[in-house]
Amino acid sequence: MTLDFHHIPVLSREVIEGLAIQSGGHYLDATVGGGGHSALILAAADAVQLSAIDQDETAIAAAKAKLGDRVTFYHENFSEFDPGDTRFDGILADLGVSSVQLDVADRGFSFRQEAALDMRMDRRQELTAAEIVNHWEESKLADIFYTYGEERLSRRIAKRIVEQRPFKTTTELADAIAHSVPKQYRYGRIHPATRVFQGLRIAVNRELEVLETLIAKAPMWLKPGGRIAIISFHSLEDRIVKHRLKESELLTVLTKKPIIAQEDEIRENVRSRSAKLRIAERKAIDH
């Protein structure tokens, strides 16, 4: 199972260039996944040190198998990480859900295969998608779908879910969502459950909350001149990254506009189409 954790690193050329990897530097991969970006960071210069975090035990196992003992691993959410006195020359956070998490049915992230309503990136936590769907009140469900999923039919969908719950599987929930929206919406370009599932995933994993925490803490983990690179995949994340990097008194933003994937990369990896990379540098003198 662990060795199947394959995740094509997006914007890899741009990340390595943006972090300006240097010989003997110490870097932090805050979302190691299968180790794709980490392998490129290690290969970019001589004697590179790397620390790597992931809250998914499957990802940690796969990255260890790929990267070996050149890396120090931490199995936790990046918002809880404490580097002690260590300071890094660069920090990377790739906020995307990995292909494995989406494609392995029993994780419950996707409605394309039947699975329990789970969606936990860290399976040690108690809160699951099933808990939210089956027990949270209608107004709160509508808020999640609207705010995190940007779903304009959120109230209508929440009402149908509450009427028909409990739900045990991803496919049961997706079917109920599809039948709570107008027919023309049901057969649109994207499945009507797509935004709802995004909203649930963000809520289960507190994704926006932990991102805010990371950007508040990470500048203090950088050496002067060290860089932070963050890859986001939807507008809610990108908005937070854009504004928090700009607002940080410790950082100088290096990307006026987000860096996006080139056509050749999109052809190779369709999931790179929505990726946006923003980079900032730790100021030389604290203010």
Side-chain angles (χ1 to χ4, degrees):
M1 168 64 202
T2 57
L3 296 180
D4 293 336
F5 201 110
H6 179 64
H7 179 51
I8 303 168
V10 301
L11 297 168
S12 54
R13 295 169 296 200
E14 293 83 355
V15 163
I16 297 304
E17 187 180 322
L19 286 174
I21 311 293
Q22 53 190 309
S23 297
H26 191 176
Y27 296 86
L28 174 67
D29 188 341
T31 49
V32 70
H37 282 118
S38 283
L40 295 169
I41 290 169
L42 288 167
D46 296 328
V48 168
Q49 281 183 275
L50 190 73
S51 297
I53 308 169
D54 209 289
Q55 62 185 332
D56 187 325
E57 75 275 10
T58 310
I60 289 279
K64 280 182 177 175
K66 183 184 181 79
L67 304 170
D69 56 9
R70 295 184 295 167
V71 179
T72 306
F73 289 96
Y74 300 88
H75 180 201
E76 60 188 317
N77 187 284
F78 53 55
S79 66
E80 295 157 0
F81 179 65
D82 180 3
D85 295 330
T86 303
R87 294 296 174 264
F88 300 100
D89 295 286
I91 298 170
L92 169 66
D94 173 356
L95 305 176
V97 181
S98 79
S99 306
V100 173
Q101 289 165 333
L102 288 171
D103 296 341
V104 174
D106 71 6
R107 301 304 298 269
F109 286 98
S110 173
F111 49 79
R112 308 219 176 266
Q113 303 171 81
E114 186 171 12
L117 281 164
D118 191 330
M119 299 195 191
R120 292 172 299 169
M121 290 181 182
D122 184 343
R123 293 205 245 197
R124 297 171 299 183
Q125 78 173 40
E126 289 183 18
L127 182 63
T128 63
E131 173 69 22
I132 292 175
V133 165
N134 292 324
H135 299 288
W136 287 20
E137 60 190 51
E138 185 179 320
S139 61
K140 203 166 180 184
L141 289 178
D143 285 347
I144 286 171
F145 305 155
Y146 183 76
T147 306
Y148 295 160
E150 299 178 289
E151 173 53 72
R152 59 190 181 87
L153 298 176
S154 57
R155 289 182 182 175
R156 186 172 180 162
I157 293 168
K159 186 172 188 290
R160 173 63 72 100
I161 286 172
V162 169
E163 286 170 357
Q164 294 195 347
R165 66 190 186 187
F167 294 93
K168 288 185 178 178
T169 68
T170 52
T171 46
E172 282 176 359
L173 179 61
D175 194 50
I177 294 165
H179 286 91
S180 65
V181 302
K183 267 192 176 175
Q184 71 269 22
Y185 193 68
R186 198 179 305 166
Y187 302 109
R189 190 173 58 85
I190 66 165
H191 191 285
T194 303
R195 294 188 180 93
V196 170
F197 270 62
Q198 174 182 296
L200 281 172
R201 193 199 77 224
I202 290 171
V204 168
N205 297 290
R206 299 168 28 251
E207 291 177 32
L208 304 186
E209 185 184 324
V210 297
L211 176 57
E212 294 268 13
T213 303
L214 174 70
I215 303 178
K217 289 180 175 180
M220 295 180 281
W221 303 341
L222 285 168
K223 297 174 185 175
R227 293 183 176 185
I228 180 167
I230 303 179
I231 303 171
S232 62
F233 286 83
H234 54 76
S235 58
L236 298 171
E237 287 176 338
D238 182 55
R239 203 173 302 139
I240 290 171
V241 175
K242 176 184 177 181
H243 291 298
R244 298 299 174 266
L245 292 181
K246 189 178 177 182
E247 289 163 6
S248 173
E249 294 181 356
L250 299 178
L251 297 175
T252 301
V253 175
L254 303 180
T255 46
K256 278 191 175 178
K257 290 184 177 179
I259 297 167
I260 58 174
Q262 301 297 306
E263 286 302 320
D264 62 332
E265 180 175 5
I266 293 170
R267 279 196 300 274
E268 293 282 321
N269 178 16
V270 70
R271 284 177 174 158
S272 67
R273 183 186 287 125
S274 54
K276 290 182 177 177
L277 169 65
R278 294 185 186 271
I279 303 165
E281 186 173 285
R282 170 77 191 244
K283 293 175 181 174
I285 302 169
D286 294 348
H287 293 287

